[in-house]
């Protein structure tokens, strides 16, 4: 009988430990902004993610690359929202470029940047100001989760991308033409299997690699 009780006690202790682990995980999720603060990308992380890959000598610019660069020059410094065709073209160009996703915090149903988003944006601004990235054009792509209608999410993502651009221009005096904004609403979910996940609500920064000296 003692052996039976011992086995059951061990089993319940194991179950208790599992439940405790679930509760701890739940606590981490509930306090995500503070618990994950130390894991947020640093200036160095962002810089390394956005640095263009070293160019191989002898490679010539392809006709598509020339066409892409010509197109990107036409949207540099645009203050209006990109058309559907323009943002589709930018997304096509961006898919093979250096990029990083940042979860920028906004209040619900708002494009106002909240205070807890400022540290991440400061790290981003410092990285984009680095001489290693000087002369590049960056896409600030706004994305939402799948909650809500397409038109609503499209407009919200555009406003949020613009808010990030304005913050960077005001705090770091980056050239306005170096930042291209585009809203993609819920078109490009980062986690399509979890359409309402927070990871889908993000601003993606892409180095489109259009250098000021490209025409020389």
């Amino acid at each position: 009988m003692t052996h039976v009780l011992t086995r059951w006690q061990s089993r319940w202790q194991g179950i208790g430990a599992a439940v405790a682990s679930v509760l701890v995980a739940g606590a981490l999720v509930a306090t995500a902004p503070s618990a994950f603060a130390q894991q947020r990308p640093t200036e160095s992380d962002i810089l390394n993610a956005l640095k263009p890959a070293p160019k191989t000598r002898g490679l010539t610019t392809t006709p598509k690359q020339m066409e892409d660069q010509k197109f990107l020059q036409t949207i540099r410094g645009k203050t209006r929202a990109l058309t559907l065709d323009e943002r589709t073209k930018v997304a096509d160009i961006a898919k093979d470029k250096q990029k990083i996703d940042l979860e920028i915090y906004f209040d619900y149903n708002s494009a106002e940047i909240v205070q807890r988003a400022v540290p991440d944006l400061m790290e981003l601004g410092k990285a984009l100001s680095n001489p290693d990235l000087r002369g590049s054009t960056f896409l600030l792509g706004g994305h939402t989760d799948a909650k809500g209608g397409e038109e609503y999410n499209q407009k919200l993502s555009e406003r949020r991308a613009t808010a990030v651009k304005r913050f960077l221009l005001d705090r770091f005096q980056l050239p306005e033409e170096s930042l291209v904004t585009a809203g993609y609403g819920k078109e490009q979910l980062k986690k399509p299997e979890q359409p309402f996940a927070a990871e889908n609500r993000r601003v993606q920064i892409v180095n489109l690699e259009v250098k000021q000296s490209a025409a020389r």
Side-chain angles (χ1 to χ4, degrees):
M1 184 67 177
T2 302
H3 292 303
V4 172
L5 289 174
T6 301
R7 284 201 304 272
W8 275 105
Q9 286 172 344
S10 298
R11 183 172 298 179
W12 277 108
Q13 285 172 352
I15 293 172
V19 172
S21 296
V22 171
L23 291 175
V24 170
L28 288 175
V29 171
T31 59
S34 58
F36 295 154
Q38 294 182 349
Q39 300 177 29
R40 307 295 294 179
T42 65
E43 174 189 356
S44 179
D45 293 331
I46 298 170
L47 179 62
N48 289 330
L50 295 178
K51 276 184 182 179
K55 297 190 181 297
T56 304
R57 285 190 178 186
L59 290 182
T60 58
T61 304
T62 67
K64 183 182 185 306
Q65 288 172 329
M66 293 177 65
E67 178 189 338
D68 290 347
Q69 289 194 1
K70 188 178 295 185
F71 165 74
L72 290 170
Q73 292 291 356
T74 67
I75 62 171
R76 282 168 59 92
K78 293 283 188 184
T79 55
R80 61 166 175 79
L82 299 185
T83 65
L84 174 59
D85 287 344
E86 286 173 334
R87 67 174 186 264
T88 300
K89 176 71 172 175
V90 171
D92 180 64
I93 295 171
K95 64 185 180 182
D96 297 322
K97 302 295 187 181
Q98 305 298 108
K99 60 181 67 69
I100 188 169
D101 286 342
L102 296 182
E103 188 179 337
I104 306 299
Y105 298 107
F106 295 89
D107 282 336
Y108 177 72
N109 193 28
S110 170
E112 293 291 326
I113 295 171
V114 299
Q115 189 59 39
R116 62 177 177 168
V118 172
D120 287 344
L121 289 175
M122 293 298 291
E123 294 299 298
L124 173 61
K126 288 185 285 187
L128 298 187
S129 302
N130 190 285
D132 287 346
L133 296 178
R134 185 174 294 133
S136 293
T137 297
F138 301 96
L139 169 66
L140 306 177
H143 301 267
T144 68
D145 63 24
K147 187 175 182 179
E150 289 187 11
E151 184 177 357
Y152 172 83
N153 280 312
Q154 176 61 37
K155 296 295 185 184
L156 181 60
S157 65
E158 289 173 0
R159 296 201 309 273
R160 287 178 170 176
T162 299
V164 171
K165 176 179 178 178
R166 181 51 51 195
F167 179 96
L168 294 171
L169 293 179
D170 290 346
R171 296 291 185 97
F172 294 93
Q173 289 74 54
L174 295 169
E176 185 165 3
E177 65 273 14
S178 70
L179 301 176
V180 174
T181 61
Y184 291 97
K186 55 182 179 179
E187 295 174 14
Q188 301 176 14
L189 296 177
K190 187 173 184 178
K191 285 198 162 186
E193 74 284 1
Q194 298 180 41
F196 303 135
E199 289 88 343
N200 295 311
R201 301 189 293 269
R202 68 199 194 281
V203 173
Q204 186 178 69
I205 297 87
V206 184
N207 185 355
L208 297 172
E209 299 179 46
V210 177
K211 301 291 187 180
Q212 296 283 11
S213 58
R216 291 181 183 176

